Amino acid sequence: MLSRVGKKKKLKKLYQRQLEEARKPTLGKMLRLFLKTFLLFSALLILMSVGIASGLAVLKSWWAQLIVYAGAYILFQPWLMREFRPPPPKELK
């Protein structure tokens, strides 16, 4: 029993070190974040343009567009920020 508790504590420390290392911004991480965000908002722009062209007049409003962009960012934030947070070890779940 003691070794199991010690193992879990050791895994938590290791995970904390991995988190600290993963949170450090590097050029590669920032570039991937920029590209993912650019792709997400480009896709939203195309979808909203198609929606406006098909007759959804509500999407012409600045507030509606802001709500769509903010909602998509909140929804896709785990995907966007994946490089900055490694998954926890299976033993900690």
Side-chain angles (χ1 to χ4, degrees), residues 42-52 56 59:
S42 297
L44 286 174
L45 174 68
I46 292 168
L47 288 174
M48 284 196 297
S49 297
V50 168
I52 291 170
L56 291 173
L59 289 177

Side-chain angles (χ1 to χ4, degrees), residues 32-45:
R32 281 190 295 274
L33 176 62
F34 172 76
L35 290 174
K36 285 180 178 182
T37 307
F38 182 76
L39 287 173
L40 175 66
F41 287 116
S42 297
L44 286 174
L45 174 68

Side-chain angles (χ1 to χ4, degrees), residues 23-34:
R23 288 182 180 149
K24 292 179 183 175
T26 62
L27 182 61
K29 288 180 186 178
M30 298 306 285
L31 185 60
R32 281 190 295 274
L33 176 62
F34 172 76

Side-chain angles (χ1 to χ4, degrees), residues 11-92:
L11 282 173
K12 281 186 180 183
K13 277 187 164 182
L14 177 66
Y15 182 60
Q16 288 300 321
R17 276 184 273 158
Q18 287 176 342
L19 277 177
E20 289 173 12
E21 187 66 31
R23 288 182 180 149
K24 292 179 183 175
T26 62
L27 182 61
K29 288 180 186 178
M30 298 306 285
L31 185 60
R32 281 190 295 274
L33 176 62
F34 172 76
L35 290 174
K36 285 180 178 182
T37 307
F38 182 76
L39 287 173
L40 175 66
F41 287 116
S42 297
L44 286 174
L45 174 68
I46 292 168
L47 288 174
M48 284 196 297
S49 297
V50 168
I52 291 170
S54 67
L56 291 173
V58 73
L59 289 177
K60 289 182 181 178
S61 166
W62 185 84
W63 288 105
Q65 290 177 7
L66 181 69
I67 290 169
V68 169
Y69 282 127
Y73 184 78
I74 290 170
L75 183 68
F76 286 99
Q77 201 222 5
W79 174 69
L80 291 170
M81 302 302 282
R82 185 176 295 161
E83 284 91 18
F84 294 96
R85 185 161 180 102
K90 291 179 179 140
E91 290 85 6
L92 288 179

